[in-house]
Amino acid sequence: MNINYNHIVDYLNNIYIDEDFIEIRNYGIENNIPIMKKESKEFLKTIISISKPKNILEIGTAIGYSSLLFSKYSNAKITTIEKSRKMADIAKSNFKKYDKEIKLINMDAKKALSNLNQGFDFVFIDANKSQYEYYFNKSLELLNENGLIVCDNILFRGEVTNDDIINRRHITMVKNLRKFLSYITNLDDYVTSIIPIGDGISLSTRRIDER
């Protein structure tokens, strides 16, 4: 389900020339593994190109598509966390295939985040949606000055915005996402934008001191 009008999504997908790890994208689609929407991918490429992070943290590796994307469009050192052994093994294989040095931590994200002690310029969150607030707050502790935090799937098929289309299996997750969005858009020290492309993306950074 698209969160935008289908004709808008189709138009955007038609004007983008997608040459980024097509084989992995197709594998994800064929095996029902969530893959970042093309519109979201292009947005992230732009943000990475502008911000030029030196250290990137990703929470939720899956098969490694977004990690490879970050590696391709930056010179950053990348750390990515994935709980599933199966997904982690596939991701490692993909990293090796494309000769990318990416640090993968095969561990529950809560435990992994507690063990990290370095700073990051860019954090990408795409894991358990009901835990976004926890991941976000832990990421704040690791975020360097002027760092960015991006969360994917923040509008989750549009269900977050409309009670009439919520799948009953997603009620708890949608409630948690709504609570999270309210939380991050009302933080005193951070400014957040919600971008309604792909499956919804949030972009957060420290607020500039106005004094």
Side-chain angles (χ1 to χ4, degrees):
M1 182 183 294
N2 293 318
I3 65 170
N4 268 318
Y5 291 116
N6 288 334
H7 65 271
I8 294 177
V9 175
D10 291 342
Y11 176 78
L12 292 177
N13 286 333
N14 284 332
I15 63 173
Y16 288 132
I17 299 174
D18 189 4
E19 298 177 336
D20 297 314
F21 311 108
I22 303 300
E23 184 178 348
I24 297 178
R25 174 175 287 279
N26 290 338
Y27 177 88
I29 293 171
E30 291 167 4
N31 291 275
N32 200 31
I33 299 169
I35 293 289
M36 185 187 303
K37 301 274 190 179
K38 291 181 182 178
E39 316 95 282
S40 301
K41 180 201 70 168
E42 296 298 326
F43 175 77
L44 285 178
K45 283 166 55 176
T46 304
I47 291 297
I48 289 291
S49 298
I50 293 171
S51 61
K52 296 179 173 59
K54 294 180 179 179
N55 289 285
I56 293 176
L57 172 63
E58 177 184 45
I59 305 172
T61 316
I63 57 177
Y65 178 82
S66 48
S67 296
L68 287 168
L69 190 75
F70 298 146
S71 180
K72 181 176 179 178
Y73 290 98
S74 77
N75 294 314
K77 293 181 179 179
I78 300 168
T79 301
T80 184
I81 302 169
E82 175 55 49
K83 180 179 180 180
S84 166
R85 170 59 69 86
K86 180 180 178 180
M87 292 292 103
D89 287 344
I90 295 173
K92 288 178 181 178
S93 177
N94 286 330
F95 298 161
K96 184 176 180 180
K97 177 179 179 179
Y98 289 97
D99 195 28
K100 297 294 186 180
E101 292 187 11
I102 296 171
K103 180 181 178 182
L104 193 155
I105 302 172
N106 185 199
M107 186 185 296
D108 179 79
K110 286 188 174 182
K111 183 176 181 180
L113 288 168
S114 296
N115 292 337
L116 290 174
N117 56 15
Q118 74 171 91
F120 295 93
D121 309 300
F122 185 92
V123 180
F124 181 62
I125 301 176
D126 186 14
N128 184 338
K129 313 308 171 196
S130 290
Q131 297 297 322
Y132 268 22
E133 186 170 333
Y134 179 88
Y135 299 149
F136 185 90
N137 285 331
K138 293 298 290 186
S139 297
L140 291 182
E141 298 174 10
L142 301 168
L143 195 66
N144 291 332
E145 187 176 2
N146 300 321
L148 303 173
I149 300 179
V150 173
C151 302
D152 199 11
N153 309 116
I154 207 71
L155 299 179
F156 198 74
R157 306 175 185 177
E159 294 180 29
V160 170
T161 69
N162 190 337
D163 287 339
D164 294 336
I165 61 174
I166 297 177
N167 186 315
R168 286 192 297 175
R169 294 177 298 174
H170 302 154
I171 289 175
T172 299
M173 179 184 64
V174 167
K175 286 182 178 178
N176 286 330
L177 281 173
R178 287 175 174 173
K179 179 174 175 286
F180 173 65
L181 286 174
S182 177
Y183 172 70
I184 62 174
T185 53
N186 286 284
L187 286 173
D188 290 337
D189 297 331
Y190 289 83
V191 59
T192 292
S193 181
I194 309 300
I195 300 95
I197 59 171
D199 201 28
I201 292 178
S202 67
L203 173 63
S204 304
T205 191
R206 282 186 176 89
R207 193 180 300 275
I208 296 174
D209 190 345
E210 298 177 351
R211 291 177 295 176

